[in-house]
Amino acid sequence: MAKDNQILEEITSREYEHGWTANLEADSAPKGLNEDIVRFISRKKQEPDWLLEWRLKAYRAWLTMKEPRWPNVTYPAIDYQDIIYYSAPKQKAAPGSLEEVDPELLKTFEKLGISLTEQKRLTGIAVDAVLDSVSVATTFKEKLGELGIIFCSFSEAVKEHPELVKKYLGSVVPMQDNYFAALNSAVFSDGSFCYIPKGVRCPMELSTYFRINAAKTGQFERTLIVADEDSYVSYLEGCTAPMRDEHQLHAAVVEIYAMKSAHVKYSTVQNWYPGSKEGVGGIYNFVTKRGLCAGDHSKISWTQVETGSAITWKYPSCVLKGDYSSGEFYSVAVTNNHQQADTGTKMIHIGKNTRSRIVSKGISAGLSQNSYRGQVHVLKRAINARNFSQCDSLLMGDRCGAHTFPYIDVENSTARVEHEATTSKIGEDQIFYCRQRGIDEEAAVALIVNGYAKEVLNQLPMEFAVEAQKLLALTLEGSVG
Amino acid sequence: MLHIHNLRAGIEGKEILKGINLDVKPGEVHAIMGPNGSGKSTLASVLSGREEYQVTEGEVTFMGKNLLEMEPEDRAREGIFLAFQYPVEIPGVSTVNFMKTAINQIRTYRGEEPLDAVAFLKLMKEKMKLVEIDQSLLNRALNEGFSGGEKKRNEIFQMAMLEPRLSILDETDSGLDIDALRIVANGVNKLRNPSNATIVVTHYQRLLNYIVPDYVHVLFNGRIVKSGDKELALELEKKGYDWIKNEPATA
């Protein structure tokens, strides 16, 4: 036991890999939040009046709302006046092409293993890179454009495709949906926009990479994906932040709108800075993600691997409005040291013959607390709705916690809802079996954890799956007790 | 190869092994027999390095190195293999993946390059044939939902893959029907060569009809009380263990 704890110490003292900061000059708003700041952001982004009005409405709604206290997490009160709501790396003018992007910026992303230089990219993933508050580059734009696919920064979408943005912004996550969504709606600075036209199957993975760089800055990005009839897209999201000893707030909104027979797959590997092993600093990750299966036979799948953030508060959900529509949620959430996660999903069955599937794998180590919170709601007219939920928890050591909060509301008697849950510990026997075959303790834990999470990892696109496996191993190696 | 001198060990303060002496040379097969509770499995556990057992006295060297100072994974990397009495289930991890991890960690320890996918596959195919095991079993999660016979065959397959210097078979015959027993024993026999050695821990003589030992040792009350050749095993089969209990320790 003592030895296990020692290994745990050694491993958890490992430095966060993405903890560096880039030396970029930033153009920032003054600290704090009021209507002037909202106007400042809107002006900076040269937005049309309707969007400014929308922001202000959200801001006023936010003022009347209360921060949610129901999640199973604890943290000191956030001072919303002590946050910078807008920070942009200084560039001479908006870059017209990649050649005009500040080389220092490109270097920042190169360092993260994300090349924004299209010629060098072999993997065939189009990337929209967001640093602090603004999108700095989007790759493969022309190639996608030939198919009629729009993939660009949110700000650009507001300028180039206002009719689409106006129509779908807030259509899935209304501005007053919840406290953090309202805050985001008021101050969101950038993000990604994606539109897949009717009948088009997007030939490459689309990816957004988020990076917080500036200190004392909140990141409030917004992603909007609209999939027209019979279209398909697979979307990836990655994120990192520097190590700082104060908490930084990340309150994002992701909206997915799927029309008839559209299929959207959204995968996240979340690796925000989790704080030091003593629990100092780290990102507060308060995110609203929701997809609307608006059309019949549409499908939305969420896959998430959550390893970072001091606190995670996140419930990627599906509103199954179209008949025969289906929603999926696959999640691995890992917490170590002092991390806290309250994450899960909501599956709202509205249409007939709707299906949903939830596979959640929680892994807790150190002094962390890991909660699954999920809701399955079958409404009155949802005849023949089906849900299957599986929630597993894996505990490492004896000082962490795993919690499961399933909510099931069924208003139609033809519904079939199944819920399975297990809690287990990594067995000494399993570790010894591996060691007897010449596998050291760290590799054994990585092997066992990856096996445990396999069903979820299998859902990720190839390159992401490899990254996720490494990340899991890195977060947990040796955390046996 | 293996030299055990006056080994005393126990668990939770209770002494189980009370002075074991044993020498195993390359090419030899030793059978350790004895009634339940005599310390057979404890000996296997101590040699493989299970941490819940404490060694209180004596020494064990393996290939000239002090075995008792080594971590379990280093013992494995030095060439000790334990075929488990109760192989452990690891959900989501296939035998293929498990073996690949093991082999490459062992190779790294020995200063060798890791095997690439092609070389690994070739080695696997070769060993599969040797121990008559089906690929489909190896693609399944390790030991999960395996029958008793499948688990033991999988152990022998792993043994074939890792090519140990010293294999310890801990009650490998338990829970096997006669056909499974024969297949497992065949595998072990095919893997025998002049440079490796095997310790067969068993309660019954039955297994020794298939894996013929050079030496048979009877363990009773934490000591080896009698040693002989394979005839001793037959005698035990006929007379049971009771008559042995009255023999003085040979050590």
Side-chain angles (χ1 to χ4, degrees):
Chain A
M1 195 63 190
K3 187 172 152 283
D4 291 335
N5 284 336
Q6 182 200 331
I7 291 169
L8 182 82
E9 295 280 301
E10 270 172 34
I11 298 307
T12 51
S13 64
R14 190 170 291 178
E15 297 280 300
Y16 175 70
E17 197 188 349
H18 302 289
W20 43 271
T21 53
N23 200 8
L24 293 162
E25 245 189 291
D27 183 6
S28 305
K31 224 187 242 179
L33 183 56
N34 51 49
E35 288 205 4
D36 287 343
I37 292 288
V38 177
R39 286 175 204 281
F40 173 90
I41 294 169
S42 189
R43 196 167 54 242
K44 273 276 170 202
K45 312 208 71 79
Q46 301 162 5
E47 286 174 356
D49 289 344
W50 66 265
L51 192 50
L52 173 62
E53 283 312 311
W54 195 82
R55 287 176 180 276
L56 289 171
K57 221 170 129 189
Y59 174 69
R60 288 166 200 149
W62 179 73
L63 287 177
T64 67
M65 296 167 91
K66 286 220 164 16
E67 204 174 314
R69 283 290 166 210
W70 47 262
N72 187 28
V73 297
T74 52
Y75 55 94
I78 298 171
D79 181 357
Y80 290 91
Q81 298 307 332
D82 194 38
I83 294 170
I84 296 168
Y85 287 84
Y86 181 83
S87 170
K90 247 181 204 162
Q91 297 202 56
K92 284 179 197 87
S97 70
L98 278 169
E99 286 71 44
E100 291 170 37
V101 174
D102 183 347
E104 188 68 25
L105 259 177
L106 290 180
K107 257 197 272 169
T108 301
F109 279 94
E110 290 281 351
K111 208 164 163 185
L112 290 166
I114 298 159
S115 168
L116 297 176
T117 336
E118 288 180 19
Q119 302 91 301
K120 286 189 194 159
R121 293 194 61 84
L122 302 165
T123 45
I125 300 175
V127 182
D128 181 32
V130 177
L131 187 88
D132 291 341
S133 302
V134 296
S135 167
V136 293
T138 310
T139 61
F140 286 111
K141 223 189 265 180
E142 285 88 36
K143 198 176 165 199
L144 293 167
E146 286 166 21
L147 292 164
I149 295 169
I150 303 168
F151 179 48
C152 62
S153 72
F154 207 95
S155 327
E156 200 182 325
V158 170
K159 289 195 187 79
E160 307 290 327
H161 311 281
E163 69 300 337
L164 283 173
V165 176
K166 203 170 172 179
K167 186 168 174 192
Y168 293 105
L169 177 67
S171 65
V172 184
V173 180
M175 64 171 76
Q176 68 281 58
D177 185 78
N178 66 68
Y179 188 80
F180 296 110
L183 178 63
N184 173 286
S185 301
V187 302
F188 76 92
S189 36
D190 215 331
S192 302
F193 175 80
C194 164
Y195 171 79
I196 313 291
K198 199 168 166 176
V200 171
R201 196 184 158 85
C202 185
M204 59 177 85
E205 312 275 348
L206 300 186
S207 163
T208 306
Y209 200 93
F210 297 107
R211 169 86 184 164
I212 297 178
N213 195 54
K216 293 254 171 207
T217 305
Q219 175 141 333
F220 307 92
E221 83 277 355
R222 209 166 168 109
T223 303
L224 175 57
I225 299 171
V226 180
D228 213 321
E229 292 181 12
D230 286 311
S231 67
Y232 167 83
V233 63
S234 169
Y235 202 94
L236 319 174
E237 175 202 292
C239 34
T240 58
M243 295 197 286
R244 298 196 186 277
D245 55 14
E246 84 265 22
H247 294 288
Q248 281 179 288
L249 179 62
H250 172 248
V253 170
V254 176
E255 294 180 275
I256 300 176
Y257 193 97
M259 297 184 214
K260 186 167 161 271
S261 299
H263 181 187
V264 179
K265 199 173 149 63
Y266 194 103
S267 314
T268 308
V269 173
Q270 187 266 106
N271 186 23
W272 294 116
Y273 178 51
S276 74
K277 67 174 179 157
E278 290 81 21
V280 178
I283 303 291
Y284 289 162
N285 189 35
F286 300 149
V287 172
T288 305
K289 290 184 171 180
R290 192 176 303 151
L292 174 63
C293 285
D296 294 352
H297 297 279
S298 55
K299 181 176 179 181
I300 293 175
S301 314
W302 297 101
T303 304
Q304 60 172 20
V305 175
E306 303 280 315
T307 61
S309 300
I311 298 179
T312 297
W313 179 96
K314 181 178 164 189
Y315 315 90
S317 306
C318 297
V319 180
L320 305 170
K321 196 172 158 205
D323 293 345
Y324 295 96
S325 62
S326 61
E328 291 176 333
F329 174 74
Y330 294 93
S331 169
V332 178
V334 188
T335 52
N336 200 352
N337 298 321
H338 289 265
Q339 282 177 280
Q340 305 174 64
D342 191 306
T343 183
T345 183
K346 280 195 269 186
M347 292 291 174
I348 314 293
H349 293 255
I350 300 172
K352 299 183 186 81
N353 298 298
T354 44
R355 302 263 183 284
S356 64
R357 182 181 174 83
I358 299 170
V359 177
S360 164
K361 306 267 180 180
I363 303 166
S364 359
L367 297 163
S368 70
Q369 296 296 328
N370 199 329
S371 304
Y372 166 80
R373 188 183 302 275
Q375 183 188 25
V376 176
H377 191 171
V378 178
L379 277 78
K380 257 203 191 87
R381 60 166 287 246
I383 297 166
N384 284 327
R386 297 278 180 272
N387 161 265
F388 172 76
S389 303
Q390 187 188 330
C391 307
D392 297 333
S393 309
L394 188 68
L395 295 161
M396 304 173 86
D398 49 13
R399 294 174 300 167
C400 56
H403 317 268
T404 304
F405 304 98
Y407 304 84
I408 299 172
D409 305 305
V410 178
E411 297 170 25
N412 185 306
S413 59
T414 61
R416 199 164 78 205
V417 176
E418 292 172 66
H419 184 96
E420 285 177 14
T422 66
T423 302
S424 52
K425 281 189 85 163
I426 286 195
E428 296 280 329
D429 278 357
Q430 288 176 321
I431 301 274
F432 180 74
Y433 190 64
C434 294
R435 293 179 78 187
Q436 210 301 307
R437 297 301 185 250
I439 301 170
D440 65 40
E441 193 156 1
E442 292 182 12
V445 171
L447 198 69
I448 294 165
V449 165
N450 276 311
Y452 166 79
K454 193 178 174 193
E455 200 181 343
V456 175
L457 299 178
N458 279 350
Q459 298 295 323
L460 291 171
M462 196 60 151
E463 304 80 3
F464 244 36
V466 174
E467 189 192 335
Q469 276 188 18
K470 282 187 199 150
L471 205 56
L472 280 188
L474 203 73
T475 319
L476 282 172
E477 276 172 347
S479 321
V480 200
Chain B
M1 176 185 277
L2 180 73
H3 174 76
I4 303 175
H5 178 69
N6 189 31
L7 177 66
R8 287 173 173 268
I11 187 165
E12 288 163 3
K14 184 173 174 272
E15 187 169 66
I16 297 172
L17 301 181
K18 298 166 183 170
I20 300 278
N21 295 292
L22 183 66
D23 273 298
V24 178
K25 296 188 185 66
E28 293 179 348
V29 174
H30 290 246
I32 310 266
M33 300 185 70
N36 288 332
S38 58
K40 302 190 298 290
S41 278
T42 299
L43 180 61
S45 295
V46 169
L47 292 178
S48 57
R50 265 199 202 271
E51 279 164 356
E52 51 272 40
Y53 290 88
Q54 296 91 38
V55 173
T56 47
E57 212 183 308
E59 60 183 50
V60 180
T61 59
F62 179 66
M63 307 300 291
K65 293 181 187 167
N66 182 351
L67 190 72
L68 300 177
E69 275 182 355
M70 286 183 213
E71 295 291 335
E73 58 268 35
D74 287 341
R75 300 182 194 202
R77 292 160 180 177
E78 289 287 338
I80 289 187
F81 181 91
L82 174 66
F84 283 63
Q85 183 176 4
Y86 304 109
V88 181
E89 296 182 3
I90 306 188
V93 178
S94 66
T95 305
V96 176
N97 189 7
F98 183 63
M99 276 294 102
K100 202 167 177 186
T101 309
I103 282 183
N104 285 336
Q105 286 230 338
I106 292 170
R107 290 180 70 92
T108 305
Y109 175 84
R110 293 177 185 166
E112 298 161 358
E113 288 288 309
L115 279 188
D116 62 35
V118 177
F120 178 81
L121 207 69
K122 190 166 167 268
L123 178 72
M124 202 177 83
K125 289 256 171 334
E126 187 186 305
K127 303 296 185 184
M128 271 164 54
K129 221 167 136 190
L130 193 72
V131 299
E132 298 169 55
I133 197 164
D134 203 59
Q135 169 100 45
S136 64
L137 194 68
L138 304 181
N139 289 335
R140 280 166 53 188
L142 189 56
N143 293 320
E144 205 182 33
F146 284 23
S147 71
E150 285 171 335
K151 283 185 184 171
K152 297 297 166 76
R153 265 159 85 173
N154 190 279
E155 292 291 288
I156 303 306
F157 167 74
Q158 293 181 36
M159 180 174 140
M161 288 294 283
L162 301 179
E163 299 174 351
R165 288 184 172 119
L166 174 67
S167 303
I168 303 164
L169 310 181
D170 188 8
E171 306 270 8
T172 292
D173 48 339
S174 69
L176 290 191
D177 62 37
I178 197 75
D179 293 326
L181 188 71
R182 200 176 291 139
I183 292 169
V184 165
N186 270 343
V188 174
N189 288 331
K190 282 185 198 163
L191 297 171
R192 279 177 76 169
N193 68 43
S195 63
N196 65 25
T198 311
I199 295 177
V200 183
V201 174
T202 182
H203 183 81
Y204 299 105
Q205 188 270 339
R206 190 175 68 152
L207 178 65
L208 304 180
N209 287 335
Y210 300 98
I211 305 172
V212 181
D214 301 301
Y215 301 94
V216 174
H217 310 278
V218 181
L219 197 60
F220 177 67
N221 202 11
R223 284 191 187 92
I224 290 175
V225 292
K226 201 164 179 64
S227 295
D229 59 12
K230 63 181 179 188
E231 297 304 320
L232 177 59
L234 291 169
E235 204 176 337
L236 283 168
E237 180 77 356
K238 227 180 289 162
K239 296 195 201 164
Y241 284 109
D242 280 347
W243 64 281
I244 280 291
K245 293 179 183 171
N246 305 318
E247 299 266 320
T250 50

